[in-house]
């Protein structure tokens, strides 16, 4: 990490600030010659007076701030925790190196700084067996509730991750209620009985208490994973929107009255193609839910807009997608960037998560008999039996997004999206997100980041990764950079923030904050005065 000037910037009448420079660049290329690698820069890329634009022209408009980004990551299933715990037993150094590479938020570190984890409440299709936290039939007082029915390695690995990144956000949710609460009498398939809605809220509340007893207060909880899925081969359960709303109302009351008022309740947690479901949930219980979460297995990312347009003041989460073992490495990265780590954010999301954090090379272990992932779900990390590990394309895609938004300062704020547009004859060749990360000290310069996918890899219909010469426009200034053909790049620079009271030589005015319904048509969610922090 190169040092940068933090002295106050004296703006000229045209808003010049020659100290704005790009030193820090991280890159992944299609041929794997660079894999989330910091690019050595012999001299800085300076922002200078604007001139002719490049083949593509990235215009960063930091006067339009979009959604806060909460983080990127995956799901710590029981199977993931078991695989990681086994690695810890076999090769403690490799385990520590892996956790640091995944989760360390240290500025300038060779690490992704992943900061958001989902955890199943009870068994999922990636558990060694089927279990819940109270299997005593009719125990609606939950006198027999025991959070330690979860395997001990789950909390052990979670604690280790938290020790690496104390800002990790934990999002918990069940794959199924206990079987005795359901019409099927089993955790595999069926639906919650209508007379169990309020007791089930109590069950979920006790799950929150159980996690807190283990030293982890969850950031968020969802009522049910994939509430439209009833598969009899592994824990699943259906809920109607009205039922989910009722459970959410009862749970919200319990949380508010018992020290969990800051924990968010998230609706839905299922595919893009039924985005009307969370709309109905929040219409019935708008004050109980912070937002809705989506998965990638049906529909398209633009369908998140159904929820954003109905509830522009609520939050959007993208929480699950799994790759298939044996699929094409670069094609996967392009899809992930286009649909999740850039695309989902363009459509309002504040998170981007993949499925299992870690499995073996065959996508195991799985729950015996589970009918999901028969083709082999690829994890973020493959852990081998010899105690070695390797990260997959899921990691490289999300690492570039995560690197752009992790706090610059220890314990500081995460990044926020800002508006970005792309012009030029090759505007179609780049997919871009832009972010600003604020600082603990109001006088310190803000960090501005770009995440850029160059997917110009077949310009004439045949394979030919083509570099794109690009200009980057920022506050009336311009920098130039050529993005390699078929690559993902994260880069950043520093610039004065609101503390100077000036942008482009003029006094800052009140601005709009937006929930994006697509990068071209953001939806305003209220006027605000930019904070001086």
């Amino acid at each position: 990490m190169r040092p940068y000037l933090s002295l106050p910037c004296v703006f000229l009448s045209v808003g010049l600030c020659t100290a704005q420079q790009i030193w820090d660049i991280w890159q992944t290329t299609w041929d794997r010659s660079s894999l989330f690698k910091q690019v050595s820069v012999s001299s800085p890329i300076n922002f200078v007076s604007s001139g002719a634009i490049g083949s593509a022209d990235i215009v960063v408009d930091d006067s339009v701030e979009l959604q806060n980004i909460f983080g990127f990551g995956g799901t710590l299933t029981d199977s993931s925790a078991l695989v990681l715990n086994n690695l810890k037993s076999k090769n403690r150094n490799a385990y520590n190196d892996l956790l640091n590479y995944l989760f360390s938020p240290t500025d300038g570190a060779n690490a992704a700084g992943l900061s958001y984890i989902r955890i199943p409440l009870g068994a999922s299709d990636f558990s060694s067996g089927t279990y819940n936290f109270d299997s005593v039939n009719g125990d609606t007082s939950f006198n027999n509730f025991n959070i330690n029915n979860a395997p001990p390695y789950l909390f052990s690995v979670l604690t280790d991750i938290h020790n690496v990144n104390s800002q990790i956000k934990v999002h918990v949710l069940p794959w199924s209620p206990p079987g005795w609460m359901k019409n099927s009498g089993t955790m595999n398939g069926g639906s919650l009985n209508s007379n169990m809605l309020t007791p089930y809220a109590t069950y979920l509340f006790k799950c929150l208490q159980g996690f807190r007893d283990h030293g982890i207060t969850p950031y968020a909880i969802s009522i049910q994973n994939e509430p439209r899925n009833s598969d009899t081969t592994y824990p699943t359960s259906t809920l109607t929107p009205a039922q989910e709303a009722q459970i959410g109302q009862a749970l919200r009351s319990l949380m508010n009255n018992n020290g969990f008022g800051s924990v968010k309740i998230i609706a839905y947690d299922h595919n893009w193609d039924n985005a009307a479901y969370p709309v109905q949930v929040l219409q019935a219980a708008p004050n109980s839910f912070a937002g809705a979460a989506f998965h990638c297995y049906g529909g398209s990312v633009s369908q998140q807009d159904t929820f954003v347009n109905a509830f522009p003041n609520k939050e959007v989460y993208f929480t699950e997608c799994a790759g298939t073992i044996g699929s094409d490495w670069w094609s996967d990265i392009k899809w992930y960037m286009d649909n999740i780590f850039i695309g989902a954010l363009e459509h309002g999301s504040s998170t981007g998560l993949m499925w299992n954090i870690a499995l073996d090379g065959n996508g195991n272990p799985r729950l015996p008999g589970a009918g999901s992932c028969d083709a082999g779900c690829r994890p973020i990390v493959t852990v081998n039996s010899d105690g070695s590990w390797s990260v997959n394309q899921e990691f490289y895609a999300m690492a570039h997004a995560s690197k752009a938004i992790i706090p610059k300062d220890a314990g500081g704020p995460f990044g926020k999206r800002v508006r970005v547009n792309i012009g030029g004859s090759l505007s179609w060749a780049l997919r871009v997100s832009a972010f600003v990360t604020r600082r603990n000290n109001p006088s310190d310069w803000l960090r501005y980041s770009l995440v850029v996918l160059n997917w110009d890899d077949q310009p004439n219909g045949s394979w030919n990764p083509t570099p794109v010469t690009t200009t980057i426009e920022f506050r009336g200034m311009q920098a130039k950079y050529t993005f390699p053909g078929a690559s993902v790049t994260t880069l950043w620079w520093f610039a004065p923030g609101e503390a100077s009271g000036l942008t482009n030589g003029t006094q800052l005015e009140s601005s709009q904050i937006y929930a994006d319904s697509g990068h071209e048509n953001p939806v305003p969610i209220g006027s605000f005065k930019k904070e001086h922090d």
Side-chain angles (χ1 to χ4, degrees):
M1 164 73 76
R2 296 273 187 168
Y4 67 95
L5 296 177
S6 59
L7 298 174
C9 177
V10 179
F11 282 85
L12 304 178
S13 60
V14 292
L16 299 181
C17 183
T18 58
Q20 290 173 197
Q21 302 174 326
I22 298 171
W23 279 104
D24 297 281
I25 303 172
W26 296 77
Q27 208 151 69
T28 296
T29 54
W30 71 274
D31 60 1
R32 312 191 203 193
S33 59
S34 292
L35 290 171
F36 189 52
K37 179 181 178 181
Q38 188 165 21
V39 177
S40 177
V41 179
S42 58
S43 59
I45 300 168
N46 292 309
F47 282 87
V48 298
S49 298
S50 293
I53 67 171
S55 299
D57 186 46
I58 298 172
V59 182
V60 179
D61 181 3
D62 67 321
S63 70
V64 179
E65 295 188 350
L66 303 164
Q67 75 270 28
N68 290 308
I69 306 301
F70 304 143
F72 301 91
T75 302
L76 186 66
T77 59
D78 291 344
S79 295
S80 291
L82 176 61
V83 166
L84 290 171
N85 193 66
N86 288 344
L87 176 63
K88 180 180 179 179
S89 299
K90 178 167 291 190
N91 189 336
R92 182 64 180 262
N93 288 336
Y95 174 76
N96 291 338
D97 289 345
L98 173 56
L99 291 194
N100 277 284
Y101 191 50
L102 293 176
F103 299 107
S104 174
T106 303
D107 181 54
N110 180 31
L114 303 181
S115 53
Y116 204 103
I117 292 179
R118 267 199 332 161
I119 299 181
L121 294 174
S124 72
D125 43 334
F126 283 84
S127 296
S128 60
T130 301
Y131 73 93
N132 57 71
F133 300 121
D134 191 339
S135 59
V136 176
N137 189 14
D139 183 22
T140 55
S141 297
F142 300 104
N143 295 319
N144 297 281
F145 183 95
N146 187 357
I147 197 70
N148 293 318
N149 289 349
Y153 47 78
L154 175 67
F155 291 109
S156 174
V157 171
L158 178 58
T159 299
D160 290 341
I161 292 171
H162 186 267
N163 289 339
V164 171
N165 187 347
S166 62
Q167 289 187 275
I168 200 81
K169 299 178 181 71
V170 173
H171 185 151
V172 297
L173 72 169
W175 263 236
S176 172
W180 58 267
M181 303 179 79
K182 300 169 63 180
N183 61 6
S184 60
T186 174
M187 291 180 67
N188 294 357
S191 59
L192 186 68
N193 290 325
S194 59
N195 65 336
M196 289 291 172
L197 301 181
T198 299
Y200 190 44
T202 303
Y203 176 86
L204 294 176
F205 172 69
K206 292 185 76 66
C207 289
L208 293 176
Q209 290 180 313
F211 268 74
R212 185 174 63 183
D213 290 344
H214 278 272
I216 304 290
T217 297
Y219 176 81
I221 183 171
S222 294
I223 302 298
Q224 172 63 46
N225 178 68
E226 300 188 346
R228 308 311 299 151
N229 181 22
S230 178
D231 189 310
T232 59
T233 67
Y234 67 95
T236 58
S237 189
T238 61
L239 279 177
T240 68
Q243 289 173 326
E244 184 163 318
Q246 187 174 332
I247 295 168
Q249 289 173 316
L251 178 59
R252 181 78 270 166
S253 178
L254 286 169
M255 291 163 61
N256 289 348
N257 293 330
N258 292 278
F260 290 89
S262 63
V263 178
K264 301 178 181 183
I265 303 179
I266 308 303
Y268 190 45
D269 239 293
H270 207 170
N271 292 335
W272 287 318
D273 59 3
N274 195 359
Y277 182 107
V279 172
Q280 295 172 44
V281 173
L282 269 77
Q283 285 172 337
N287 297 325
S288 298
F289 291 83
F294 293 89
H295 299 178
C296 76
Y297 309 116
S300 64
V301 64
S302 63
Q303 290 173 287
Q304 290 179 183
D305 294 350
T306 298
F307 180 79
V308 171
N309 293 335
F311 290 96
N313 292 324
K314 295 294 186 177
E315 297 167 348
V316 178
Y317 296 72
F318 183 87
T319 52
E320 187 181 315
C321 194
T324 302
I325 292 175
S327 57
D328 182 70
W329 191 85
W330 175 243
S331 296
D332 287 342
I333 287 181
K334 286 194 298 183
W335 194 92
Y336 294 146
M337 299 307 299
D338 184 39
N339 290 277
I340 302 174
F341 301 111
I342 293 176
L345 273 59
E346 287 177 338
H347 295 278
S349 182
S350 290
T351 64
L353 279 68
M354 299 303 295
W355 184 202
N356 284 277
I357 291 176
L359 295 171
D360 68 18
N362 295 313
N364 289 321
R366 288 194 293 158
L367 181 73
S372 65
C373 286
D374 285 339
C377 282
R378 186 178 48 245
I380 297 170
V381 181
T382 296
V383 177
N384 304 308
S385 59
D386 64 0
S388 63
W389 56 266
S390 60
V391 295
N392 297 312
Q393 47 264 57
E394 290 75 14
F395 170 82
Y396 292 114
M398 76 166 65
H400 278 280
S402 180
K403 198 71 172 175
I405 60 90
I406 60 175
K408 165 62 182 168
D409 303 315
F414 284 74
K416 173 181 281 191
R417 274 189 69 225
V418 297
R419 173 175 275 180
V420 63
N421 294 299
I422 312 170
S425 61
L426 289 181
S427 59
W428 58 267
L430 304 182
R431 296 280 282 117
V432 183
S433 282
F435 308 91
V436 59
T437 303
R438 300 186 185 281
R439 308 298 302 281
N440 288 339
N441 185 338
S443 65
D444 286 343
W445 286 18
L446 310 185
R447 185 185 69 207
Y448 288 88
S449 307
L450 295 180
V451 177
V452 181
L453 166 68
N454 176 1
W455 58 359
D456 187 5
D457 51 22
Q458 299 184 59
N460 300 308
S462 59
W463 180 253
N464 183 24
T466 303
V468 176
T469 300
T470 305
T471 42
I472 302 169
E473 315 285 347
F474 178 71
R475 297 184 183 175
M477 305 291 288
Q478 184 184 85
K480 295 182 179 180
Y481 185 73
T482 298
F483 292 96
S487 65
V488 182
T489 302
T490 300
L491 58 80
W492 60 71
W493 66 94
F494 294 85
E498 294 84 344
S500 67
L502 294 171
T503 296
N504 288 334
T506 59
Q507 189 70 29
L508 287 170
E509 301 294 338
S510 294
S511 303
Q512 291 281 339
I513 189 167
Y514 293 79
D516 215 8
S517 62
H519 64 287
E520 294 180 352
N521 298 297
V523 179
I525 61 173
S527 191
F528 81 116
K529 188 71 174 177
K530 288 186 176 180
E531 297 178 356
H532 291 233
D533 58 7

